[in-house]
Amino acid sequence: MELNERADVDTSQIEDRRGAGGGGGGGRLPIPTSGGGIVGLIVTLIAVLVGGGFGVNAITNDEPADNGAIQQHCDAADKLEQLDCRNTLYVNSIQSWWAKRLPQSFGEQYQKAPTVFFDQSVQTGCGAADSGVGPFYCPADHKVYIDLTFYQVLADQLGAKGEFAQPYVLAHEYGHHIQSLIGTEAQMRRQQERDPGDANELSVKLELQADCYAGAWAKNATQTADADGDPIFKSITDQDIKEGLDTAAAIGDDTLQKQAGQQVNPDAFTHGTSAQRQQWFRTGYDSGDPKACDTFKA
Ligand SMILES: [Zn+2]
């Protein structure tokens, strides 16, 4: 996989809450605490102005838009070496694809959803969460949440070392956003209430569909572009797709249960087996068509 260094990085699709102490409000006022003096203050004020006025947001404790850190990384010459900047480009690509594809495939307008970068813990519309839960989508506030150190866990503890794990994970979470936009998620929750005995099975179908959507995006990712029409990816190779499939396998319910030293218990599955997750990622990838992702019918 090669990203295009000429692609503009749209950091407005990210809420950078790292270093916010999990308070959810951001809360860090950009006042130099020592040694800054008046020069430091001026530099900080310029940073505030250029950075989109995050000082105001911090004071009102509203949506923290302190994207200064990430913007800096994405402005740097080595932006494609920066983990957060690369992930921003993945988010840009995924959303740009769905913006075109959702109306075509499902007759709905796409609504952008930000990805929140956090560390340790975070407040969300779905309650407080900590990094241990892994990346997730919150349907109540329409945001994707990820602690980027999750990728290290994925590589070190779950054996999914390939970099394509990263866009795969994000594309899976945006798959849940699509399910929220077109009503699949709400429908599935109602069905779970009617048939509590099928709750886990229904959850598996929702998750496998998100895997399939991730595969469909992967197939089309090299066609995605920034606002000026510059491609975001230069290439995605068979090796990348293999890494996507390896990741799908690494986070299958059966594999995770074995890894936790438990007996494999299909009744407790909520995301699908490794084989199922690979199969549905593959279905999405082979067709490139989100309409092929009807796991509820299959
Ligand atoms: Zn999921």
Side-chain angles (χ1 to χ4, degrees), residues 185-234:
E185 196 256 352
Q187 219 176 345
M188 174 269 193
R189 299 280 168 222
R190 282 196 297 273
Q191 220 174 323
Q192 279 183 323
E193 277 162 32
R194 279 199 303 271
D195 307 304
D198 293 343
N200 280 1
E201 202 184 318
L202 289 163
S203 159
V204 166
K205 289 179 176 182
L206 198 76
E207 293 299 330
L208 294 175
Q209 186 173 64
D211 285 334
C212 184
Y213 287 165
W217 163 78
K219 178 75 168 194
N220 295 285
T222 52
Q223 309 293 320
T224 59
D226 68 9
D228 304 329
D230 280 322
I232 293 174
F233 286 94
K234 277 183 167 167

Side-chain angles (χ1 to χ4, degrees), residues 256-279:
L256 291 177
Q257 285 177 353
K258 275 186 228 161
Q259 210 184 2
Q262 299 161 357
Q263 291 255 323
V264 173
N265 173 14
D267 288 340
F269 288 175
T270 52
H271 286 67
T273 63
S274 297
Q276 286 174 315
R277 300 198 69 165
Q278 288 189 307
Q279 181 209 322

Side-chain angles (χ1 to χ4, degrees), residues 94 97-98 101 105-106 164 168 171-172 208-224 236 241 280-293:
I94 294 161
W97 182 64
W98 277 116
R101 197 55 188 249
S105 293
F106 298 107
F164 203 76
Y168 161 74
H172 172 99
L208 294 175
Q209 186 173 64
D211 285 334
C212 184
Y213 287 165
W217 163 78
K219 178 75 168 194
N220 295 285
T222 52
Q223 309 293 320
T224 59
I236 289 178
I241 300 312
W280 281 103
F281 178 80
R282 174 60 81 188
T283 298
Y285 183 76
D286 286 346
S287 65
D289 178 5
K291 295 286 256 188
C293 298

